[in-house]
Amino acid sequence: APSGVLALDAVVNQPQYVLARLRQLAQAARQVGVSEKEREVLLKSVGVLGECVSTCERIYNTPIPLSYSRHTSRFLIFYASTLPLAIVGALGWATVPVMATLCWALFGILEIGNL
């Protein structure tokens, strides 16, 4: 198992390596007594997993449009500016730490999204 971990660290595209390794193991399963039907189910499952990995990689590599990013920033600024007006009646002075924490979290997420 440690050699498998080292091999996984050495490859560029780890999901594709894992899929290829699963296909190899499914092919080798015939020698240890796995039935043909079970192997077919395993290979079909690996194919479905491969399609899911491919879809996820496509989503990951799709750039976020600049207009969407700007709109999100402007909306968040508007929301953070007007929210204290809505909650000050219920929270009083607690609005200040609540808003500080909320702004820290939301603007932090926004900044992570811009990286």
Side-chain angles (χ1 to χ4, degrees):
S3 64
V5 172
L6 293 175
L8 188 60
D9 284 340
V11 297
V12 175
N13 192 332
Q14 293 174 341
Q16 291 300 328
Y17 173 80
V18 170
L19 289 170
R21 187 72 178 115
L22 285 172
R23 285 186 196 98
Q24 290 172 352
L25 291 172
Q27 295 297 336
R30 178 184 304 159
Q31 299 168 355
V32 292
V34 175
S35 72
E36 190 64 30
K37 184 170 180 146
E38 291 171 330
R39 280 184 359 79
E40 286 178 22
V41 170
L42 180 58
L43 286 170
K44 184 178 179 184
S45 296
V46 171
V48 169
L49 180 60
E51 291 172 9
C52 292
V53 166
S54 143
T55 301
C56 288
E57 286 179 347
R58 201 172 320 119
I59 291 170
Y60 178 76
N61 291 322
T62 301
I64 296 174
L66 183 60
S67 59
Y68 175 80
S69 180
R70 285 182 181 163
H71 177 73
T72 304
S73 299
R74 290 175 185 150
F75 175 79
L76 184 57
I77 290 169
F78 177 75
Y79 178 76
S81 299
T82 58
L83 183 61
L85 303 173
I87 64 173
V88 72
L91 298 181
W93 282 103
T95 302
V96 174
V98 166
M99 284 307 300
T101 305
L102 188 67
C103 285
W104 172 78
L106 291 177
F107 284 104
I109 292 169
L110 180 69
E111 194 59 35
I112 289 170
N114 290 332
L115 294 178

